[in-house]
Amino acid sequence: METPVRTKVKELLKKEPGIDVLAKGWVRTKRGNKGIAFIALNDGSTINNIQIVVDKNAFAEDLLSKITTGACIGVIGTLVESVGSGQAVEIQAKRIEIYGECDPMKFPLQKKDTSFEYLRTVAHMRMRTNTFGAVLRIRNQMAFAIHEYFHGKGFVYLNTPLITASDCEGAGQMFQVTTLDLNNVPKNKKGQVDFSGDFFGKQTSLTVSGQLEGELGATALGEIYTFGPTFRAENSNTPRHLAEFWMIEPEMAFYDIKDNMDLAEDFIKYLVKCALERCYEDVKFLNDKYDDSLIDRLYGVIDTEFVRLPYTEGIKILEEAVKNGTTFEYPVAWGVDLQSEHERYLVEKHFQKPVILTDYPKDIKAFYMKQNEDGKTVRAMDVLFPKIGEIIGGSEREASLEKLEQRIDELEMSRKNLEWYIDTRRFGSCPHSGFGLGFERLLLFVTGMTNIRDVIPFPRTPKNAEY
Ligand code: 4AD
Ligand code: MG
């Protein structure tokens, strides 16, 4: 018998019956009766399994006993029309090869515990489940769609450094990078750590954002975007925070805050549409299994115009809600940073659609944002989403050299460390804007998953850095 070339399950399921095929994959289930066995085989190419029908009399007992859940096998057989498998075709097995056995007693993926909490403890294996297969295929399609979107608009993909000496957000949440001997840290006369002998000759960290370098790119190439990992040492143990997450940061010369909002809205809608068009089977699986309003929510975002609302108006709505009996854990007043409960009230209760909140108090936002004429607010924009809260943070940037330097001084930041950044305002300064989309926050939205640890293969959170 000639060996057919291996075909992925996704392709097999689309083929016409009547040909010999070779399928390879992992056994999801095996059931049957005395004479016949039905194997559900999956190879990760699709949420769907291909059914293998085995005439037990034609195979050795020993071989059949090794076909257990989790085992890896190759099957040569004839593709035939299927009556009962839920798919158009199935494979009538002629030859089976066991590549890797799987002891059912020791296999970490058991039917008895499939909770997300448990699966996080065996994250090295959870990609073999239907749910994580679906989530990671969607993640892959979204990453591709992001590049496609910006490429189509002529944006330049810019690689900004992961190791940096500057704190973009000024929030002091940086992981330090050093090769100093931590058991014998060199100190200067003042008793402070002497970084001059460190690898880079100065104090460095993992980046919290590629924006500052992105601005250098935008003020040279016009429109750029970054797409890479960012790191935050914030000790927030929430379902929406990771210590290592991926961010997409477009930065555009000659865009004002309105252009910035238009781009953000169009970008998210494009991605959600792609999820529905290119990952429908996976999205449908997640919808049917966990959250049957997921697909409606996705269509809801595509079909609706986002609300655009100044922060001050948002606070009024929240204060009104409190007056009318709504209780929040954190108090609401002009000047406070909004908590996710506040953001979700505006999005889910009040407007029932995505909201772009603008013109935040300058004291709760980063130094680089363009100051408004009122002297109190900055041209910031946060995109707030149902079930998620903040999915995008961005702003028009301060283009005035004088105002930027003043703000850096007010915040007692080091101007010396930022000279290279300030140069963009010294030499041919231009109006420009940008934003950052949290990739995993986007994935929470399009998959309907409720914990950010479940939309990234290897989550890093406080006290957790497995693998
Ligand atoms: O609002 P952030 O902090 O904005 C910036 O970093 C800007 N420099 C972006 C820019 O204008 N270029 O972060 C942007 C987005 C948030 O809206 C959120 O979606 C995501 O990044 N994010 C996180 N995602 C997961 N875990 C965390 N700890 C996150 N912190 C922020
Ligand atoms: Mg933010």
Side-chain angles (χ1 to χ4, degrees):
M1 184 171 35
E2 204 181 313
T3 306
V5 290
R6 178 215 166 192
T7 309
K8 291 193 192 182
V9 172
K10 185 177 178 177
E11 301 309 319
L12 284 176
L13 292 172
K14 289 189 241 167
K15 282 195 184 295
E16 291 295 322
I19 47 168
D20 274 1
V21 295
L22 167 58
K24 299 182 179 184
W26 292 269
V27 175
R28 281 288 158 81
T29 56
K30 186 177 83 174
R31 56 187 183 82
N33 53 39
K34 260 202 163 146
I36 219 166
F38 299 101
I39 302 165
L41 195 71
N42 189 282
D43 65 0
S45 61
T46 160
I47 188 79
N48 300 308
N49 304 322
I50 187 135
Q51 174 157 287
I52 316 288
V53 183
V54 184
D55 173 1
K56 285 188 174 174
N57 298 319
F59 291 88
E61 182 82 18
D62 177 53
L63 178 116
L64 291 174
S65 72
K66 289 176 181 160
I67 302 174
T68 56
T69 295
C72 186
I73 64 172
V75 180
I76 293 175
T78 311
L79 202 64
V80 297
E81 204 174 309
S82 172
V83 270
S85 76
Q87 308 293 345
V89 290
E90 61 192 21
I91 298 173
Q92 196 80 49
K94 291 186 190 168
R95 211 160 78 198
I96 300 177
E97 189 178 344
I98 312 276
Y99 298 127
E101 295 174 40
C102 180
D103 182 344
M105 302 308 287
K106 293 186 182 148
F107 187 43
L109 302 178
Q110 304 278 353
K111 277 228 174 71
K112 63 179 192 282
D113 192 354
T114 55
S115 70
F116 291 127
E117 288 77 10
Y118 170 71
L119 290 176
R120 271 173 230 141
T121 69
V122 291
H124 60 299
M125 286 276 130
R126 69 178 179 171
M127 285 186 266
R128 293 216 203 151
T129 63
N130 285 334
T131 298
F132 285 89
V135 167
L136 293 175
R137 277 186 299 271
I138 295 171
R139 186 178 168 111
N140 169 60
Q141 286 293 347
M142 291 292 93
F144 187 75
I146 285 162
H147 285 297
E148 208 174 45
Y149 180 83
F150 287 120
H151 186 75
K153 287 191 174 299
F155 282 50
V156 173
Y157 174 39
L158 189 77
N159 299 125
T160 50
L162 300 190
I163 299 175
T164 175
S166 51
D167 181 358
C168 173
E169 294 304 298
Q173 298 169 326
M174 305 188 75
F175 287 102
Q176 295 202 35
V177 174
T178 181
T179 54
L180 291 177
D181 177 1
L182 295 183
N183 290 311
N184 188 16
V185 176
K187 299 270 177 77
N188 63 20
K189 285 191 192 113
K190 287 188 197 152
Q192 297 157 332
V193 179
D194 179 7
F195 287 99
S196 64
D198 202 349
F199 189 90
F200 296 106
K202 58 177 162 184
Q203 188 173 8
T204 53
S205 306
L206 293 178
T207 189
V208 296
S209 158
Q211 179 195 323
L212 301 187
E213 296 87 352
E215 287 185 53
L216 305 181
T219 55
L221 297 158
E223 291 151 339
I224 64 92
Y225 71 104
T226 73
F227 185 2
T230 46
F231 309 87
R232 296 200 185 175
E234 52 189 333
N235 202 1
S236 345
N237 247 313
T238 80
R240 279 178 301 279
H241 288 87
L242 289 165
E244 178 179 295
F245 64 98
W246 287 64
M247 186 152 53
I248 300 97
E249 296 187 272
E251 191 71 35
M252 299 75 62
F254 316 119
Y255 273 49
D256 65 13
I257 186 77
K258 175 167 182 304
D259 303 324
N260 204 22
M261 286 192 277
D262 291 346
L263 183 74
E265 184 168 341
D266 185 61
F267 178 45
I268 293 211
K269 285 179 175 171
Y270 176 84
L271 295 176
V272 172
K273 222 163 126 208
C274 281
L276 283 165
E277 280 169 9
R278 300 178 189 178
C279 314
Y280 192 76
E281 283 186 336
D282 287 322
V283 170
K284 178 90 172 45
F285 169 82
L286 296 167
N287 179 87
D288 295 352
K289 181 147 191 203
Y290 300 109
D291 176 358
D292 63 8
S293 58
L294 173 63
I295 290 179
D296 286 345
R297 240 177 7 258
L298 299 187
Y299 277 114
V301 161
I302 300 174
D303 294 337
T304 193
E305 215 172 289
F306 297 4
V307 175
R308 298 179 183 194
L309 186 80
Y311 166 93
T312 304
E313 299 299 315
I315 291 290
K316 280 186 196 152
I317 292 169
L318 292 167
E319 284 177 334
E320 196 62 28
V322 171
K323 253 191 238 157
N324 293 330
T326 303
T327 49
F328 294 119
E329 194 182 333
Y330 293 89
V332 180
W334 198 93
V336 301
D337 206 354
L338 294 187
Q339 301 294 325
S340 124
E341 56 174 344
H342 305 135
E343 296 171 342
R344 293 183 59 178
Y345 179 87
L346 291 173
V347 173
E348 289 164 29
K349 295 258 163 57
H350 192 83
F351 290 108
Q352 296 179 346
K353 50 171 141 169
V355 175
I356 311 184
L357 218 52
T358 61
D359 304 288
Y360 282 73
K362 69 174 182 192
D363 291 333
I364 56 171
K365 288 292 181 188
F367 75 97
Y368 51 71
M369 296 192 182
K370 183 175 173 67
Q371 297 168 42
N372 281 320
E373 285 73 35
D374 63 13
K376 292 190 303 197
T377 59
V378 285
R379 233 161 269 184
M381 52 167 244
D382 278 9
V383 180
L384 313 179
F385 254 49
K387 301 249 181 195
I388 315 285
E390 181 189 338
I391 194 165
I392 281 182
S395 72
E396 185 168 341
R397 317 306 189 191
E398 184 55 77
S400 148
L401 173 64
E402 194 191 336
K403 285 192 182 154
L404 181 69
E405 287 187 326
Q406 206 180 4
R407 192 70 189 130
I408 291 173
D409 292 346
E410 265 171 29
L411 292 168
E412 296 179 5
M413 295 172 66
S414 158
R415 242 204 248 183
K416 200 169 133 254
N417 283 348
L418 285 170
E419 285 304 328
W420 54 273
Y421 177 74
I422 300 171
D423 268 357
T424 53
R425 276 60 166 184
R426 276 192 195 107
F427 307 115
S429 184
C430 74
H432 62 289
S433 299
F435 62 81
L437 167 68
F439 189 43
E440 287 78 17
R441 300 255 175 111
L442 169 80
L443 290 171
L444 280 176
F445 184 71
V446 297
T447 62
M449 301 293 277
T450 53
N451 193 311
I452 200 161
R453 292 163 179 81
D454 300 330
V455 295
I456 188 166
F458 306 105
R460 268 80 185 91
T461 51
K463 302 279 182 287
N464 175 42
E466 290 300 312
Y467 322 111

